[in-house]
Amino acid sequence: MRHFEGFDAAGFWDDSVYALEEYVEEVPPSRELIASLEEELGGYRLPGSYIALRSTHNGGTPARSCFPVPASVSWADDRIEITGIRGVGRIRPQSLGGEFGSRFWIEMWEYPDIGVYFADTPSAGHDMLALDYRACGRRGEPAVVHVDQEDAFSITLVAENFEAFITAASSRPPVVFA
C-alpha cells in the first residue's frame, strides 16, 4: 500500500539545529529496529504511514505545524500546533525510544496508556498527540488524538489516522499564549 500519494513533502520539515539534535534520527529505521521499538512501546504496531514518513525523514519539526481539530482544545478553538514529531529510533532524546520518548510521558507524567505519544506541542508536555489504539487494538490502525494533561488528561479526536493528520497540516501562524 502506498502512502501520501499526491502529498507535497517538500517544505514539510524545518531542519533547524534543534530539530536535528533532538528529533531527527540519522538513518531510516530498519525492520529490526521497528519491531524492537514496537515491542518496547507496549506491543503497538506503528501505522504503515508513520513508517513511510520516517523512511524519508526520520523525525523532526514540521514547517507546516498547525493541524485542524474538530473540537476546541485547551489553547485554540480550531487547531493544534506541534513542535516535533518523534523519529523511529533510540538515539535522539525526542525519538520514540529516546530519553523523552513515548514511554517517558506514560511513566513519568502519567499520561494514559492508550498507545504511542508521537508529537509535542508548544506547551512543553502539558498536552501531547498520541496514536490511539483503544478502538482498534494494538495491531490495528490507530486514530490521532490530542491529550490535555491540564484538563484531567481529556482526549480529543484529531484525525481518523496518521496519514490524514499529516496531510491536513498547514502553515497557519501559531497560537500566542496569553
Side-chain angles (χ1 to χ4, degrees):
M1 172 189 249
R2 290 191 46 105
H3 296 283
F4 299 103
E5 287 188 36
F7 177 67
D8 179 15
F12 182 78
W13 298 104
D14 175 9
D15 284 335
S16 67
V17 171
Y18 173 76
L20 296 172
E21 291 175 353
E22 294 291 318
Y23 288 92
V24 181
E25 292 282 336
E26 294 182 10
V27 297
S30 67
R31 289 182 186 261
E32 295 78 20
L33 175 61
I34 294 166
S36 70
L37 269 175
E38 288 174 337
E39 183 63 31
E40 184 180 309
L41 294 171
Y44 296 108
R45 182 191 56 79
L46 295 171
S49 57
Y50 195 88
I51 300 302
L53 195 60
R54 301 286 76 79
S55 297
T56 60
H57 199 283
N58 197 359
T61 59
R64 292 183 249 164
S65 61
C66 293
F67 299 83
V69 291
S72 178
V73 294
S74 58
W75 49 273
D77 290 334
D78 62 346
R79 67 193 177 283
I80 55 171
E81 182 185 359
I82 62 171
T83 53
I85 300 175
R86 288 175 169 69
V88 176
R90 294 184 180 92
I91 295 171
R92 299 296 185 224
Q94 299 291 344
S95 291
L96 288 177
E99 180 182 3
F100 303 112
S102 182
R103 297 304 304 171
F104 169 82
W105 299 103
I106 295 166
E107 294 165 5
M108 299 300 293
W109 279 55
E110 300 179 346
Y111 270 81
D113 193 356
I114 59 171
V116 177
Y117 289 88
F118 74 91
D120 301 315
T121 70
S123 73
H126 293 277
D127 61 324
M128 303 283 296
L129 284 131
L131 298 170
D132 181 359
Y133 291 81
R134 292 176 298 168
C136 66
R138 293 179 191 274
R139 309 301 287 167
E141 184 69 23
V144 173
V145 297
H146 173 264
V147 182
D148 189 348
Q149 182 257 350
E150 294 292 322
D151 187 26
F153 296 105
S154 64
I155 298 172
T156 303
L157 177 67
V158 174
E160 64 184 53
N161 59 50
F162 182 75
E163 187 167 350
F165 172 72
I166 292 298
T167 58
S170 75
S171 299
R172 187 172 178 172
V175 174
V176 177
F177 290 100

